[in-house]
Structure formats: C-alpha cells, structure tokens
C-alpha cells in the first residue's frame, strides 16, 4: 500500500534529523540573482541549492589563499584625472555667512 503524505513527511523529517540537515535562506537583489542564473546556465546546473553548495565546497577546497580572491568584497577604484586634481587644488570655497 502507498504511503500517505503525512507518513512521507514524517520520514523526511526523521532523515533530516539523522543527517543534521540545515536550511539556509538568503535574500538577494535582482543583479545577484542574475549572476547566479548565469553561473547555473554556464555549467548546466538546474537547482540553486546545488549551485550554492558547489560554490561553497569548491571555495573551501581552494583553501584560505585560493578562495580569498573569490570572497573579497569588490571595491571601486576612484581615479582622479590631472585636470580634476588641478581644479580641486585651485578651488576656493565660498566664505561662510556670519
């Protein structure tokens, strides 16, 4: 006889307890979601959880030095052109009112 939905749910709960299975949730903005979708498409991955798990496992396998470049926060580099630097150096702020 087929198992009821309740029986299947109970077995799933027990399996998760035995494996110490934990759920991770993470909210992202559209740009990050698009990047994840691109990564999944490039490598034929259909499940988001699988893609994230693979990224975590591969970053960990790369070790501290190997994973550092992938886990660093990207920063914008601000470069001031010589013309802007000259204009800033010549700038005299207006006098403050008394």
């Amino acid at each position: 006889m087929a198992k009821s939905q309740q029986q299947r749910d109970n077995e799933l709960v027990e399996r998760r307890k035995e494996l110490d299975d934990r759920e991770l949730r993470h909210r992202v903005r559209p740009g990050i979601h698009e990047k994840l979708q691109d990564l999944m498409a490039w490598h034929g991955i259909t499940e988001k959880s699988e893609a994230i798990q693979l990224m975590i496992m591969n970053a960990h396998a790369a070790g501290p030095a190997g994973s550092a470049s992938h886990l660093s926060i990207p920063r914008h580099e601000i470069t001031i052109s010589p013309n802007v630097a000259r204009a800033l150096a010549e700038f005299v702020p207006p006098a403050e009112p008394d």
Side-chain angles (χ1 to χ4, degrees):
M1 185 168 112
K3 294 180 183 177
S4 70
Q5 184 62 47
Q6 184 64 44
Q7 289 171 319
R8 287 194 297 272
D9 289 346
N10 290 341
E11 287 179 3
L12 180 60
V13 168
E14 287 302 315
R15 258 194 325 270
R16 287 181 175 165
K17 283 181 185 177
E18 289 173 11
L19 298 172
D20 195 22
D21 210 10
R22 299 176 189 186
E23 183 177 7
L24 298 177
R25 292 182 181 225
H26 185 70
R27 295 200 175 277
V28 296
R29 296 201 175 185
I32 298 298
H33 188 259
E34 289 172 15
K35 287 174 176 32
L36 178 59
Q37 294 295 95
D38 287 345
L39 287 166
M40 291 169 59
W42 296 342
H43 302 287
I45 300 171
T46 58
E47 296 291 327
K48 292 176 192 169
S49 60
E50 180 184 4
I52 293 169
Q53 184 172 334
L54 286 170
M55 286 188 279
I56 292 169
M57 290 170 34
N58 288 326
H60 188 269
S67 63
S69 65
H70 298 291
L71 295 175
S72 63
I73 298 171
R75 301 285 184 204
H76 296 287
E77 185 177 320
I78 299 172
T79 305
I80 298 175
S81 70
N83 290 340
V84 172
R86 191 169 29 260
L88 288 172
E90 294 170 357
F91 178 73
V92 178
E96 292 187 19
D98 290 332

